[in-house]
Amino acid sequence: MTLLVLSALVVAFCLGIAGVEAGRLISYPPHIRTKRGSYIVEFESHIPKTHVSRFHAMSDVSVDRHFTKVLNGISVSVSKRDFDPSHFAQMDGVKRVWPVRYYYPASTPSAASNSSSLYLHHATGVEKALKELGVDGKGIKIGIVDSGVDYNHPELGGCWKTEGCPWQYGEDFIGDKYNEADAIPIIEPNPTPMDCAGHGTHVSGILAGRGPQVRGVAPGATFGMYRVFSCPINGEGGSSDDILLQGIEAAFEDGHDIINLSLGGGAWSEEPVAVACAQIVQQGVVVVAALGNDGAGGLQTGSAPAIARGVISVGSVDNWNVTSKPGIITSAQGTQKIALSMPGDSKYPFDFDSDTPLEIPAGGEDSIVGCANYTENMSGKIVVVKRGGCTFNEKALYAYTAGAIGVICYNNVAGDMSPAVSNSVPIPFVGISDDDGKHVTDTLAAGKATVKAPKGAREISPSKTGGQISLFSSIGPSAELDMVPLISAPGGNIWSTYPQKLGSYASLSGTSMATPYISGTVALLKQARPDLDVRAITRLLVSNGKPITDPATGLKTTPFMSGAGLVNIYDAIKSRVQFDPPVLSLNDSKISHIQGYSKLESLGSVRWAARTISIHNTDCKKSLHLSLSNAAANSLSMILANGSFSYTPRTWPADTSSVSEDTLPQVYSPNAEKTIGPGKTCSVTVFIVAPKGLKDLESWYYGGFINFTLQWDGEKTTSTQVVSYGGYNGDSTIQDVLSPPSDGLPALVDTVTGEPVNDLSTLVIDNNATKAILFGLSIPSRLVEIMLVDAATDKSAGYMVQGYNEYLARTCPECSVPYVGVPLTKTVFTDSKLTNVTQVPAGKYHVRIRALRPFGDTSVDSDYQVWNSGDFTIA
């Protein structure tokens, strides 16, 4: 097994932190980048001056920021290197303490672009709402927390805080020099939140674009930009959650109706940003957040704050039109046109006015994907590589080091893509579809070929995957089995505004792009129906979603991928009924005979759950007649039929022609038809039966949509709204947490060579950190402990450095976190706070990993999955 780059593991021993009491002092795993010596402290109640003054009085402690609106707490920095943060958690009135972690925008360009928003707005009801209802967001305030905005862009108003300008609020909280790699990142905010990264300007165009190229969803709204991401330095433009909280709180204080968060990190609702967002929702502000772009990792890859309770979490569908740059391939066989992606950064455009030679790297799989040093000189050539194996930045760097003047990367799955790389690698990097990739590689296999890509050329064509869930879009459920996302919007292949210094327009993809689309639709809904509160807005938005049909199976795409489906804001505005809840999360279903509905006794012992849905007829003049039916969705599992694990979920049914009904989820109701009087509310009980024929051990996640057909008195037409449902087909509390053995993890590895250490009998460990334990998580875990265990007694000698980790997200080879690494030395901590450090005596030891299973009790040994390494020697 060849492991990924281990540079993140070659680190100094970091200060470990652990829980003082459950939920008090939070400890992040070592792969989570945190700001050294910086913490967020949350108080139990509104901040009393006495609490803050106590922190001011502490030596070596600086109070950096006060949070008084969205989080009752402060952020502090500590100059003393060996400071024990458990002292904070032990102070009276302190609720929780977190280390300050870094965050990144939630965009991962992976598809080409669209310069025409006409069909996009048609499919979502936006165009109809704008034309027929006359809504454009006027009177609604939207706060965008992002990388800033080029407010001088002509399609974004060309102004800042002047009379009649759409940009009336906002400020810069970070500046242009922030680099998380610095020991003390430089924070020098500018007078205005001007964007130097592009992400925020792109998000802004989706909301506020005034045409002609970009038509925003809510161009009449009033906007605020709260800049929390800096300029890309060394390929990254990051931030930290103390800065994010500052921007979010400012947006809240400025009185915005909607706060847009196209960002994410972590996987639990206990993240400080998630806690703040949940509190904002409780205070009547709509928060819309990107679920994430780790769909390649399979189920449970959603991120915070989207997974916070009350936040509208957003998934992405691909756009219907693709705008690309034409590339002309010339060979002995003739010429062929391919579609090249259009990256946003114009610093290194893929412009080649003359025929330029193409070349595929020689060698094995690592060379084909461009993830290894090239064996040949690529000077003056454009290399063609396959997606996967390493990051796009790494591919660009390997090619540049070999002398290449450009890179074409072809997709390893169906569809187009437009990879983004940082401008730290000075060559253009573009993507092409899998079909175009096959043509190029087949052509090169037959002989030499060249490519020409004239400057300024651009073409628009239909997308093969338009309206389908984007492959990058993260998949639910949450770590606590709540349904996410709630709704989906166009986020793949989106053409929008970009800083004028970077080309004015760009193609980006990500749930970052779908999120402002939903924020815009919420603005239209609030303008049309200003009486709605946050919960009512969510109910209408979700229940009027349009479930997406999977062309491969003919069933609906699972709500764990799509939520309620594609947003339709026109129907949401016109709706005269509200369903509460609009989503049913079935994480407590049981196997037994159904009780409470005698007609279902013939089903025998099945896994089932009963739920009650409240239905309110908001038409005060007409009675509502409704009936319900079930639309089963695909079931998903990451366990293949042969028992092996796959990060690409398996879909059931793969073939609908021979599927028995009991392998699909079923919905029954004793009151499937109802009449609700004008302005009245009634309840409907539904019995949801899990797919009976699917094996519990294969860990299937099932779901579907309860379709409510609606008709009001005196009206001939009917309409349909949905309540989505989803559950786990088994006992979630007994699932394995650690990555499967097929991943080669857990493993003890050499951090210098990146290779596993297979023979532990001759291994000798000292305090030179050249060995590490790598492990992955197939599902999120509340707590993972890594200990050194005395081989003679089988008792723990203590926690390893960075050996106590709380609230861990999923890992996978193509996720933002591929694995977790912990250095292996003779140093351990003998207490759960990781404060009492010692050196273990010489002898034989092994490593033990304990990963808490879902909903497990941290004090119960049987609630953990346990892994033990082989024995080795400590000198």
Side-chain angles (χ1 to χ4, degrees):
M1 176 185 71
T2 301
L3 299 170
L4 299 175
V5 178
L6 299 175
S7 58
L9 297 177
V10 187
V11 294
F13 296 159
C14 299
L15 176 65
I17 48 182
V20 176
E21 295 176 5
R24 293 290 297 279
L25 179 57
I26 306 302
S27 174
Y28 288 132
H31 67 279
I32 299 297
R33 301 177 68 177
T34 59
K35 188 185 294 186
R36 180 180 297 174
S38 296
Y39 303 92
I40 293 172
V41 181
E42 182 187 15
F43 297 116
E44 289 283 0
S45 58
H46 292 293
I47 303 174
K49 292 182 178 179
T50 54
H51 276 301
V52 179
S53 62
R54 290 177 66 189
F55 282 84
H56 279 295
M58 297 176 71
S59 60
D60 303 314
V61 174
S62 173
V63 177
D64 299 324
R65 298 175 181 87
H66 291 205
F67 305 111
T68 60
K69 302 296 183 182
V70 303
L71 188 78
N72 298 319
I74 57 177
S75 65
V76 299
S77 56
V78 181
S79 58
K80 188 178 180 181
R81 291 184 63 87
D82 59 350
F83 179 82
D84 178 6
S86 66
H87 294 314
F88 292 149
Q90 293 167 347
M91 295 174 68
D92 291 340
V94 171
K95 184 177 181 180
R96 278 179 287 205
V97 179
W98 297 274
V100 171
R101 67 176 291 166
Y102 290 111
Y103 270 75
Y104 305 92
S107 69
T108 174
S110 59
S113 61
N114 168 44
S115 61
S116 172
S117 57
L118 293 178
Y119 191 80
L120 180 152
H121 288 340
H122 174 74
T124 58
V126 168
E127 182 181 25
K128 193 173 183 180
L130 291 171
K131 289 183 177 180
E132 292 188 16
L133 305 179
V135 291
D136 62 358
K138 184 177 180 180
I140 307 301
K141 295 165 61 177
I142 305 175
I144 306 169
V145 182
D146 216 290
S147 69
V149 59
D150 183 354
Y151 45 79
N152 290 323
H153 197 294
E155 295 205 35
L156 296 177
C159 57
W160 179 252
K161 293 187 177 181
T162 56
E163 184 176 355
C165 180
W167 301 97
Q168 290 294 326
Y169 304 92
E171 59 184 295
D172 186 355
F173 294 97
I174 194 166
D176 298 346
K177 300 178 182 179
Y178 187 92
N179 184 358
E180 58 267 35
D182 294 340
I184 302 178
I186 299 171
I187 300 176
E188 294 181 356
N190 298 316
T192 64
M194 177 57 72
D195 188 11
C196 56
H199 187 272
T201 301
H202 196 277
V203 165
S204 298
I206 296 168
L207 273 164
R210 298 183 167 194
Q213 286 207 47
V214 178
R215 290 176 51 194
V217 178
T222 300
F223 299 95
M225 174 57 73
Y226 302 85
R227 186 181 180 220
V228 296
F229 292 106
S230 188
C231 305
I233 299 175
N234 298 324
E236 295 181 336
S239 185
S240 54
D241 47 18
D242 56 340
I243 298 174
L244 261 61
L245 285 171
Q246 200 174 4
I248 292 169
E249 182 163 276
F252 177 78
E253 288 183 312
D254 282 343
H256 289 287
D257 302 293
I258 304 159
I259 297 178
N260 185 93
L261 299 172
S262 291
L263 51 87
W268 292 81
S269 58
E270 285 77 6
E271 299 285 344
V273 174
V275 171
C277 288
Q279 292 187 15
I280 289 173
V281 172
Q282 291 177 1
Q283 296 182 63
V285 176
V286 178
V287 178
V288 185
L291 187 62
N293 304 315
D294 281 333
L299 291 149
Q300 292 190 281
T301 49
S303 63
I307 47 80
R309 302 288 169 82
V311 171
I312 298 177
S313 53
V314 185
S316 170
V317 302
D318 282 348
N319 207 343
W320 292 263
N321 293 321
V322 173
T323 299
S324 59
K325 184 184 187 72
I328 308 302
I329 304 295
T330 302
S331 67
Q333 289 79 37
T335 62
Q336 174 76 29
K337 184 165 63 176
I338 63 173
L340 303 165
S341 67
M342 300 183 67
D345 192 345
S346 63
K347 188 172 182 180
Y348 303 109
F350 198 89
D351 293 337
F352 295 93
D353 291 325
S354 60
D355 291 321
T356 306
L358 294 169
E359 190 78 33
I360 296 177
E365 179 64 23
D366 283 347
S367 297
I368 295 172
V369 296
C371 296
N373 291 319
Y374 291 15
T375 58
E376 61 269 67
N377 188 332
M378 293 293 187
S379 295
K381 298 178 180 178
I382 296 171
V383 298
V384 179
V385 297
K386 182 180 179 180
R387 182 183 183 181
C390 62
T391 67
F392 295 132
N393 265 16
E394 289 172 312
K395 294 176 189 290
L397 183 59
Y398 281 121
Y400 173 69
T401 303
I405 59 174
V407 180
I408 296 176
C409 180
Y410 60 94
N411 212 347
N412 57 0
V413 294
D416 305 291
M417 75 165 191
S418 177
V421 298
S422 71
N423 56 25
S424 60
V425 183
I427 57 174
F429 192 108
V430 296
I432 59 176
S433 68
D434 57 322
D435 288 341
D436 281 348
K438 184 177 187 307
H439 169 75
V440 173
T441 54
D442 287 349
T443 300
L444 286 170
K448 295 182 178 181
T450 62
V451 64
K452 179 190 294 186
K455 182 178 180 180
R458 190 174 71 186
E459 293 183 345
I460 300 176
S461 59
S463 170
K464 297 178 181 178
T465 56
Q468 295 297 309
I469 292 296
S470 304
L471 294 175
F472 58 75
S473 191
S474 288
I475 306 173
S478 73
E480 294 155 303
L481 297 189
D482 291 327
M483 179 76 77
V484 289
L486 291 182
I487 195 73
S488 292
N493 320 341
I494 304 300
W495 180 260
S496 185
T497 50
Y498 218 58
Q500 295 173 91
K501 292 182 179 179
L502 299 177
S504 296
Y505 301 93
S507 162
L508 296 182
S509 291
T511 52
S512 273
M513 286 64 249
T515 299
Y517 204 99
I518 291 297
S519 293
T521 63
V522 172
L524 303 184
L525 181 56
K526 283 186 70 68
Q527 180 189 2
R529 301 178 64 171
D531 58 315
L532 298 174
D533 61 18
V534 173
R535 290 190 62 191
I537 288 169
T538 302
R539 288 194 292 263
L540 288 175
L541 197 71
V542 172
S543 66
N544 284 280
K546 306 305 175 188
I548 299 166
T549 300
D550 183 348
T553 66
L555 297 179
K556 300 302 181 184
T557 297
T558 172
F560 290 122
M561 297 177 74
S562 69
L566 181 64
V567 66
N568 190 295
I569 193 57
Y570 180 86
D571 286 355
I573 292 172
K574 299 293 287 183
S575 175
R576 290 176 282 169
V577 61
Q578 291 188 28
F579 296 88
D580 188 20
V583 171
L584 303 178
S585 296
L586 313 174
N587 54 9
D588 62 346
S589 57
K590 51 188 177 290
I591 295 180
S592 66
H593 284 78
I594 294 178
Q595 300 173 358
Y597 192 14
S598 59
K599 290 184 178 180
L600 299 183
E601 291 179 357
S602 61
L603 293 178
S605 185
V606 293
R607 187 176 299 281
W608 65 281
R611 292 290 187 273
T612 299
I613 303 170
S614 174
I615 307 171
H616 178 49
N617 177 12
T618 60
D619 191 318
C620 295
K621 296 181 179 180
K622 297 181 179 181
S623 291
L624 166 63
H625 308 279
L626 64 80
S627 61
L628 66 85
S629 60
N630 177 47
N634 295 332
S635 295
L636 297 181
S637 171
M638 297 174 68
I639 308 298
L640 300 181
N642 62 8
S644 63
F645 186 90
S646 171
Y647 289 102
T648 301
R650 175 164 61 120
T651 298
W652 177 267
D655 178 9
T656 55
S657 63
S658 58
V659 174
S660 59
E661 189 171 302
D662 66 352
T663 61
L664 300 176
Q666 304 296 314
V667 176
Y668 304 92
S669 177
N671 42 13
E673 296 184 359
K674 279 269 189 178
T675 296
I676 308 174
K680 301 296 183 179
T681 300
C682 78
S683 296
V684 170
T685 299
V686 293
F687 294 82
I688 302 173
V689 179
K692 187 177 180 181
L694 301 182
K695 299 177 182 177
D696 284 8
L697 292 178
E698 291 183 346
S699 299
W700 288 96
Y701 288 83
Y702 67 92
F705 303 88
I706 304 173
N707 293 325
F708 287 89
T709 301
L710 314 170
Q711 187 173 34
W712 277 264
D713 278 348
E715 299 180 11
K716 294 181 179 180
T717 58
T718 62
S719 60
T720 301
Q721 293 189 30
V722 300
V723 171
S724 57
Y725 64 89
Y728 179 74
N729 190 53
D731 183 354
S732 64
T733 65
I734 63 173
Q735 290 185 88
D736 280 345
V737 178
L738 297 171
S739 293
S742 58
D743 276 8
L745 299 175
L748 197 155
V749 300
D750 188 310
T751 60
V752 177
T753 65
E755 294 296 328
V757 180
N758 295 316
D759 185 4
L760 301 187
S761 63
T762 60
L763 178 64
V764 179
I765 298 295
D766 53 25
N767 268 340
N768 295 319
T770 61
K771 303 295 185 292
I773 287 291
L774 262 60
F775 66 92
L777 298 177
S778 59
I779 58 175
S781 180
R782 163 69 177 78
L783 174 64
V784 177
E785 302 171 328
I786 307 99
M787 299 170 283
L788 272 180
V789 176
D790 189 310
T793 64
D794 199 38
K795 294 187 179 299
S796 171
Y799 293 106
M800 292 168 54
V801 175
Q802 303 170 342
Y804 190 97
N805 304 289
E806 298 182 86
Y807 300 112
L808 278 75
R810 279 277 325 277
T811 65
C812 79
E814 292 194 30
C815 290
S816 53
V817 179
Y819 52 78
V820 181
V822 176
L824 175 58
T825 68
K826 60 190 300 183
T827 299
V828 297
F829 295 89
T830 58
D831 65 322
S832 61
K833 302 175 186 178
L834 301 189
T835 56
N836 298 328
V837 64
T838 188
Q839 308 290 305
V840 299
K844 288 284 188 179
Y845 295 84
H846 57 263
V847 173
R848 175 170 295 160
I849 300 176
R850 297 194 338 141
L852 190 67
R853 300 182 193 273
F855 306 106
D857 186 331
T858 58
S859 64
V860 177
D861 288 344
S862 60
D863 284 353
Y864 290 83
Q865 180 186 0
V866 179
W867 174 86
N868 292 295
S869 75
D871 292 343
F872 49 82
T873 300
I874 288 185

